[in-house]
Amino acid sequence: TYDNHVVTLTVTVTDNGDGTMLVEPVYEGSAEFTNTYTVTGNPKFDLTGNKTLNGRDILDDEFTFILKDDQGNEVASTTNNGESFGFTDIALSGLGIHHFTVSELKGSTGGITYDENVYNVAVNVTDNGVGGFANEVQISGSGKLAFTNKALLLGGYIGAQFILDQG
């Protein structure tokens, strides 16, 4: 916000008679201007990842992912949409580095081997210089959230034809 006060400046110039001039400014009121700058809103971030299921087709909403803060408190959970998942509009408490973990919740579906990876996520929130926030997200390991599960064949069947030879 710009300081909108007005200052009147009167300048008196006097000839010193020796080839020089004396310049004297006189301010009416304070000549100090104070502008203020504030960042508005609340910092937020989004985080997306990939989900792979080897052994069969993946179903929407089949797998659940948990985002926890650095104290181990659950901040958000989400499920997969095909081979992707995401956390959106995750609120942050202000400027600085915020730490999280992302993991997959082990489900109860039989025949699935669940990915046990836990990813560390650091979100560095800074002032973008125009009244808002900017953030940089860093993810441990490959820099991407990628969970892979394996589906095992359980209770399946294999088609076969038997021919009885009675002769």
Side-chain angles (χ1 to χ4, degrees), residues 37-163:
Y37 173 80
T38 56
V39 178
T40 58
N42 296 310
K44 296 178 182 181
F45 78 103
D46 297 338
L47 191 60
T48 59
N50 296 319
K51 178 66 193 165
T52 302
L53 177 61
N54 293 325
R56 70 167 172 79
D57 290 340
I58 194 168
L59 304 174
D60 287 347
D61 301 318
E62 185 173 13
F63 300 102
T64 301
F65 305 91
I66 307 296
L67 178 70
K68 293 183 179 178
D69 65 17
D70 60 354
Q71 302 299 310
N73 300 311
E74 185 176 318
V75 175
S77 67
T78 190
T79 58
N80 66 295
N81 181 4
E83 293 185 346
S84 65
F85 67 93
F87 301 96
T88 57
D89 290 331
I90 303 301
L92 298 166
S93 60
L95 299 173
I97 299 175
H98 305 269
H99 296 277
F100 300 90
T101 60
V102 177
S103 60
E104 180 177 9
L105 181 64
K106 186 175 182 179
S108 59
T109 303
I112 301 287
T113 301
Y114 288 86
D115 191 323
E116 295 182 2
N117 283 321
V118 176
Y119 291 92
N120 293 309
V121 177
V123 182
N124 185 16
V125 179
T126 57
D127 178 343
N128 69 4
V130 290
F133 296 99
N135 61 53
E136 177 185 357
V137 178
Q138 294 182 335
I139 301 169
S140 63
S142 67
K144 299 177 182 177
L145 297 176
F147 293 90
T148 302
N149 292 358
K150 295 176 186 161
L152 308 173
L153 182 61
L154 292 178
Y157 65 90
I158 298 176
Q161 180 180 13
F162 295 96
I163 300 173

